[in-house]
Amino acid sequence: MRPCLGTGFVMVALTYAAGCAGLPPKPPPVKLPVDAPLSLSGLAGERGDWPAEKWWTQYGDPVLDQLIDMALASSPTLATAHARFDTAQQSVRITAAAAGAHVDASADTSRQRLSDNGLFPPQLLGFHWYNLNDLGLQVSYTFDWWGKQRDAVEAAVDQAHAAQADRAAAALMLASSVADTYFGWQSDQSRLILAQEREATVAREGSIMAARIRAELESGDEARRADSNLAAVRERIADLEGSARLRIVALAALVGCSPDQLPAMTPRPLPAIGNGLPDDVKIDLIARRADLTASRWRVEAAQKERESARAEFFPDVSINALIGVQSVDVGKLLQYSSRVPAATAAIHLPIFDRGLLKARYGASQAAIDAAVAGYQDTLVGAARDVATQATSRADIGAQRKQRLIEVEAAERLKSSAAARVRQGIADSRMELAATEIWMEQRDALLQLDSAAVSSDIGLQRALGGGYLGNEKQK
């Protein structure tokens, strides 16, 4: 028996060596950047904080808070993200269950007729028909010595973490869209009120011009000029009213309800916007962006899948055990003498399918390259997003300072013209003209305020919107 046993070991060793031939070397782990390629030179200002989890509450608008709560609770877009996360969780359970021990119970009964010309003629046995009853419990287990099953489970867990981060990114995008649309509506309302005031001023100016034409103090061309000015103001009013209605429709779609189910909204001033940025934005941005976190988890999952593909080159060792009973007489099925125990051990050696294994490993390496490239693109995009929003907000702030000077100058001119009218030095046309200029400056200032709020919302989104995912422990 010893020569046979020695020959068996030699065969196993040779087969193992043949199976592991062509085994790819263990690659080093992927190293991802630890900070964002972000340059904010020239944007130094007051120190700012990272967005809070509910960053929109800083604007102090209860209606906005209610709208975002409604959107996060019922939006179809967010429901899709939840469904993806739930699917990823189930994938973890499926992979984990497939990697464990398997226990199967079986029971069956059959009735069969013996052939007259078979191996055991029924004439000798004394019967043609017989029953066979089986009852068994089978246990199988595959040893995970090379980590193939463990890596597959960890890859599924990493994918679930990526789906969870995707869900946070979808919630942030939804909340920022609701806030941007809501403040756009508020801006339209403020500009609409101002446009209606200007309409009254232009109409009054036109009445004065009509009276002067009737008195033959002005030509008829002035009347046409006044009509054109009034039509231009009314066109702006119609444009603002249409924009406000469209924003209501957009809000309803974002929230996931009909427009008449939205909470009551009343015009109110736009919030004041600061100009601060976190000091550690370049270093901490990676941890505070949900899309970057999701990309990192996908890189981790791809690496685990590559390790699992590499483990396919090693042999699989499994054991199977059967505890069962068998009897042609159902009454004797549970007797001790009816037992039919069995135990087997098996080894699977990949010898002739190395081409397939190499192809799978190459595909897993390509998946890592794609995941790393996706992470790099997301990182560059995140840095560009922060820089763009921060620069835009700073530029708008600088423009607003100059616009405030123009508004104050226009207001002084309006006051001076009103004083001249009261003193009888000039007629009311001078005051009305100065009032129009003042209103134009106020409208331009409102547009800058709206752009500042929109840029600030974009910056809150670019900074991660309060997200801080759990860092993977290295």
Side-chain angles (χ1 to χ4, degrees):
M1 292 298 295
R2 286 192 178 185
C4 294
L5 184 61
T7 302
F9 276 123
V10 170
M11 291 299 297
V12 168
L14 292 175
T15 310
Y16 174 79
C20 293
L23 174 69
K26 188 174 180 63
V30 175
K31 292 184 178 180
L32 298 175
V34 296
D35 57 9
L38 184 61
S39 176
L40 297 174
S41 57
L43 296 177
E46 60 187 68
R47 185 185 183 282
D49 296 324
W50 287 96
E53 182 179 3
K54 293 188 175 182
W55 52 269
W56 55 88
T57 59
Q58 68 178 339
Y59 299 121
D61 193 320
V63 176
L64 174 63
D65 299 344
Q66 185 178 356
L67 285 170
I68 292 181
D69 288 342
M70 292 172 62
L72 295 179
S74 60
S75 170
T77 303
L78 203 56
T80 302
H82 278 287
R84 290 175 180 171
F85 174 64
D86 293 339
T87 301
Q89 282 189 316
Q90 296 304 322
S91 297
V92 173
R93 295 190 178 99
I94 292 173
T95 306
H102 297 275
V103 180
D104 298 312
S106 62
D108 64 82
T109 181
S110 62
R111 181 172 176 79
Q112 184 173 351
R113 182 186 184 279
L114 293 175
S115 171
D116 292 339
N117 303 311
L119 180 63
F120 300 101
Q123 294 82 359
L124 298 177
L125 298 176
F127 59 88
H128 280 83
W129 291 88
Y130 74 96
N131 298 327
L132 184 63
N133 304 284
D134 292 278
L135 183 64
L137 186 69
Q138 184 173 2
V139 181
S140 62
Y141 183 81
T142 300
F143 294 96
D144 191 27
W145 288 337
W146 324 114
K148 177 174 63 177
Q149 297 172 352
R150 181 191 68 245
D151 290 332
V153 172
E154 290 183 359
V157 171
D158 290 343
Q159 290 288 3
H161 286 153
Q164 188 176 28
D166 284 337
R167 182 177 62 176
L172 172 60
M173 182 60 67
L174 178 62
S176 62
S177 297
V178 171
D180 198 29
T181 306
Y182 172 75
F183 284 124
W185 181 87
Q186 288 289 3
S187 175
D188 288 341
Q189 296 304 306
S190 298
R191 294 186 64 202
L192 183 59
I193 293 172
L194 186 59
Q196 290 168 345
E197 292 177 3
R198 189 181 177 198
E199 180 188 20
T201 300
V202 174
R204 184 182 171 192
E205 190 176 12
S207 298
I208 294 174
M209 188 60 63
R212 290 179 62 83
I213 292 173
R214 287 193 299 270
E216 297 183 352
L217 298 174
E218 300 285 352
S219 67
D221 292 340
E222 295 300 328
R224 286 186 286 273
R225 186 177 293 111
D227 291 341
S228 177
N229 291 339
L230 185 59
V233 174
R234 288 174 176 171
E235 181 184 4
R236 179 177 295 181
I237 291 174
D239 181 60
L240 290 171
E241 289 175 341
S243 176
R245 287 192 295 269
L246 288 175
R247 294 187 197 275
I248 290 294
V249 173
L251 269 178
L254 289 169
V255 171
C257 68
S258 60
D260 58 354
Q261 292 177 320
L262 293 173
M265 298 189 298
T266 56
R268 58 184 297 166
L270 294 174
I273 302 301
N275 195 32
L277 277 173
D279 291 339
D280 52 352
V281 61
K282 185 173 182 179
I283 298 175
D284 279 6
L285 182 63
I286 291 177
R288 292 180 178 270
R289 289 268 305 211
D291 54 351
L292 281 171
T293 300
S295 296
R296 294 179 68 191
W297 281 118
R298 290 191 177 94
V299 172
E300 295 285 350
Q303 291 187 91
K304 294 300 181 182
E305 289 170 355
R306 181 181 62 185
E307 291 302 314
S308 181
R310 184 174 181 271
E312 292 282 357
F313 286 85
F314 294 97
D316 285 335
V317 179
S318 61
I319 57 173
N320 296 273
L322 172 66
I323 304 174
V325 290
Q326 186 180 78
S327 173
V328 295
D329 185 355
V330 69
K332 298 180 180 179
L333 181 63
L334 299 180
Q335 292 183 2
Y336 184 73
S337 57
S338 299
R339 70 191 186 279
V340 284
T344 59
I347 181 170
H348 170 73
L349 298 171
I351 301 176
F352 299 107
D353 53 357
R354 285 181 298 166
L356 177 61
L357 296 181
K358 289 181 178 180
R360 288 176 178 173
Y361 184 80
S364 67
Q365 181 60 54
I368 291 180
D369 296 338
V372 172
Y375 175 82
Q376 296 285 4
D377 289 343
T378 304
L379 180 60
V380 172
R384 181 176 61 248
D385 195 11
V386 172
T388 299
Q389 298 297 342
T391 303
S392 175
R393 192 179 66 171
D395 291 345
I396 293 171
Q399 294 177 45
R400 191 177 184 279
K401 288 181 180 179
Q402 300 304 316
R403 184 63 63 177
L404 280 172
I405 296 175
E406 296 181 56
V407 171
E408 292 173 359
E411 187 173 9
R412 286 194 297 269
L413 288 174
K414 181 176 73 73
S415 300
S416 177
R420 287 174 177 271
V421 172
R422 287 193 302 270
Q423 295 170 3
I425 301 175
D427 59 37
S428 57
R429 289 180 301 166
M430 180 179 291
E431 180 183 1
L432 293 175
T435 301
E436 277 195 67
I437 295 175
W438 175 63
M439 288 180 175
E440 282 286 350
Q441 295 296 337
R442 286 175 58 195
D443 184 70
L445 181 61
L446 280 174
Q447 293 181 63
L448 283 175
D449 288 342
S450 178
V453 173
S454 180
S455 180
D456 188 70
I457 293 171
L459 184 59
Q460 302 300 316
R461 180 179 61 245
L463 292 176
Y467 175 82
L468 188 58
N470 295 327
E471 286 291 306
K472 187 175 180 65
Q473 299 296 323
K474 299 297 183 182

